[in-house]
Amino acid sequence: MDFDWDTEQQGFRSTVRAFLAAHLPADWEELAHGPGSEAQSAFSKKFCAELAKAGLLVPHWPQRWGGRDADPWTAFILAEEMWAAGEPRGGQYMNVNWIGPTLMRFGSEEQQQRYIPAMAHGETIWCQGFSEPEAGSDLASLRTRAEKHGDSYRINGQKIWTSYAGHADTCFLLARTSPGRNGISIFLLPMTTPGITVRQIPSVIGEGDIHEVFFDEVEAPASAMLGGEGQGWEVVRTALSLERVGIPRFALAARMLSRSVARLQGDGRFGHGAIEQAARARAACEAARLYSYNIVDQRCHGIPTGPEASAARFATVMAERLVGEFVVEHMPDALAGGDPLLLAHHQRAIVAGIASGAAEIQLNLIATDLLRLPREPR
Ligand SMILES: Cc1cc2nc3c(=O)[nH]c(=O)nc-3n(C[C@H](O)[C@H](O)[C@H](O)COP(=O)(O)OP(=O)(O)OC[C@H]3O[C@@H](n4cnc5c(N)ncnc54)[C@H](O)[C@@H]3O)c2cc1C
């Protein structure tokens, strides 16, 4: 693996930074708090449309879908810069990272034509309807039912913790069409479909972040199913492997650590204990970065993402937590309203080990699939 950026990659990073500098409003860091809020959602839609016009929303997508076939490094540099800035794309990062690519792979021609161009133009928000009150880590136990009636399915059940549901146009919904893991199917469901109710849940991250979504006798045409009946698990495994290392959360952690250290140095408060703790947090950010780069390199070489993705994700959770702990210990004033982006990072670090799959599940996968540790006999 070569860790040097080439001239083109450096140029691309500079272009993204220049775009951010030109398009983020002066109060952006305050807006960054509350990724699903009314104000940030409205801003993100405008921002993503501009990003698309500049060729910076989906450069890694095929030309057919509005991209330029750029390699996975380009997508990752873009994601690093966006996340380090507080993710101004809002919920649209999901379209770019995994929903669009999943539809390209498994969608019918009609589904692709209906949904992908709007994503490429930055015009649409999706939500991910996976978790349920009794199905989080054990996603395969989900109970939302989709029963076939003639040419359509009738959906009943409930999702929970659904990010961006209050502003989403479409839901990428997992529902059960028969028992067992092979009985899970995916529906691409407009959120305006009668029978869908969205209720916001108060969240540490801010207003509009997470929701409950109820499905009461919701009619979905058979054409809304992605892939075949019962193919949901296979599709979701592909999607989650894209999602797991698609968010370079360490980039914001590293930026916030540098900012905190600079402030402490300026105040003459960067003493021995703080130096040691900062060094540990910095090392964790670097570890997360290198684990993630390893996955990107594998993608560039066409190697399917394996259990290393769990290591990358766990390292990223650790980086966020260590930076969060550093800030709590050495500059609690910054969290009491002194620095909105630092506060936003801190709040995201609190949920980092739960959102996108619990950290402990990643540890299980690392133990069994990466380290091949023996299971304790029952
Ligand atoms: C900010 C945020 C945004 C989210 N957005 C979405 C979204 O948009 N769409 C969506 O579908 N979901 C979303 N989620 C839900 C998230 O995917 C789940 O919370 C997560 O998968 C964990 O599931 P759970 O909450 O049911 O916890 P549980 O699975 O009940 O886990 C509870 C605790 O038990 C531990 N645990 C469970 N099983 C094991 C095991 N086998 N081994 C060791 N420990 C275990 C877990 O680590 C955890 O600490 C979001 C969550 C958060 C916090």
Side-chain angles (χ1 to χ4, degrees):
M1 205 192 312
D2 179 0
F3 285 119
D4 276 344
W5 299 112
D6 65 26
T7 318
E8 200 181 320
Q9 289 164 333
Q10 285 169 10
F12 181 69
R13 196 181 285 279
S14 303
T15 303
V16 176
R17 284 188 182 172
F19 184 92
L20 286 166
H23 289 83
L24 291 185
D27 63 349
W28 163 248
E29 295 203 354
E30 271 159 53
L31 206 56
H33 173 75
S37 68
E38 209 55 68
Q40 205 199 102
S41 291
F43 169 75
S44 292
K45 263 201 163 171
K46 217 171 67 190
F47 178 81
C48 286
E50 301 276 349
L51 211 49
K53 269 190 227 140
L56 294 174
L57 187 63
V58 291
H60 56 297
W61 283 14
Q63 284 186 26
R64 177 181 176 212
W65 296 118
R68 56 177 174 84
D69 290 302
D71 68 6
W73 285 116
T74 304
F76 207 71
I77 291 169
L78 180 64
E80 274 186 323
E81 293 303 322
M82 291 295 154
W83 192 257
E87 192 46 283
R89 295 175 300 184
Q92 291 199 41
Y93 80 87
M94 293 197 290
N95 303 354
V96 171
N97 284 0
W98 68 268
I99 302 179
T102 302
L103 261 58
M104 285 171 210
R105 179 150 168 206
F106 296 100
S108 65
E109 181 65 27
E110 185 204 332
Q111 288 167 340
Q112 293 177 343
Q113 292 296 349
R114 176 169 178 186
Y115 293 118
I116 297 176
M119 289 188 210
H121 289 118
E123 290 165 353
T124 183
I125 297 174
W126 285 61
C127 62
Q128 168 186 328
F130 290 7
S131 305
E132 298 183 2
E134 300 299 329
S137 302
D138 183 16
L139 189 56
S141 66
L142 66 87
R143 292 187 196 160
T144 293
R145 291 185 330 276
E147 286 164 353
K148 193 146 196 208
H149 290 268
D151 273 350
S152 63
Y153 288 82
R154 199 163 296 157
I155 302 173
N156 283 285
Q158 186 200 338
K159 297 290 165 181
I160 194 165
W161 315 126
T162 320
S163 303
Y164 307 106
H167 297 290
D169 303 299
T170 320
C171 182
F172 190 101
L173 177 73
L174 294 193
R176 181 164 294 294
T177 39
S178 61
R181 198 168 267 199
N182 293 330
I184 296 173
S185 303
I186 295 173
F187 294 87
L188 310 177
L189 208 56
M191 290 296 282
T192 48
T193 313
I196 299 181
T197 308
V198 177
R199 207 184 288 159
Q200 201 182 119
I201 303 173
S203 158
V204 69
I205 297 188
E207 178 213 339
D209 181 44
I210 42 180
H211 308 79
E212 294 176 291
V213 185
F214 299 89
F215 298 85
D216 182 17
E217 298 285 282
V218 173
E219 290 279 332
S223 60
M225 185 181 279
L226 179 70
E229 195 174 288
Q231 210 192 341
W233 197 251
E234 180 197 335
V235 176
V236 158
R237 277 172 67 94
T238 309
L240 287 181
S241 74
L242 294 170
E243 168 80 338
R244 219 155 258 163
V245 278
I247 315 176
R249 305 173 71 109
F250 59 83
L252 182 60
R255 183 177 167 209
M256 292 301 99
L257 180 63
S258 299
R259 183 184 285 191
S260 306
V261 167
R263 203 163 293 164
L264 288 172
Q265 282 171 328
D267 296 347
R269 291 195 287 147
F270 193 50
H272 186 66
I275 293 172
E276 194 182 318
Q277 206 177 342
R280 208 171 297 132
R282 167 65 65 194
C285 292
E286 283 304 292
R289 193 166 68 88
L290 295 181
Y291 271 116
S292 302
Y293 284 3
N294 182 32
I295 304 294
V296 179
D297 190 60
Q298 288 181 350
R299 283 189 189 147
C300 282
H301 291 93
I303 302 169
T305 304
E308 295 86 358
S310 296
R313 184 156 141 60
F314 188 75
T316 300
V317 169
M318 289 311 292
E320 286 187 281
R321 284 183 182 165
L322 288 178
V323 173
E325 283 168 19
F326 177 82
V327 174
V328 166
E329 199 143 322
H330 298 285
M331 31 188 331
D333 45 314
L335 300 180
D339 186 328
L341 195 56
L342 210 56
L343 178 62
H345 168 267
H346 187 71
Q347 288 160 332
R348 289 173 194 187
I350 292 171
V351 301
I354 306 173
S356 311
E360 291 75 13
I361 300 299
Q362 308 308 321
L363 285 179
N364 287 349
L365 295 170
I366 291 167
T368 53
D369 301 352
L370 195 62
L371 302 176
R372 308 227 170 259
L373 297 178
R375 282 183 188 275
E376 209 175 294
R378 288 178 189 242

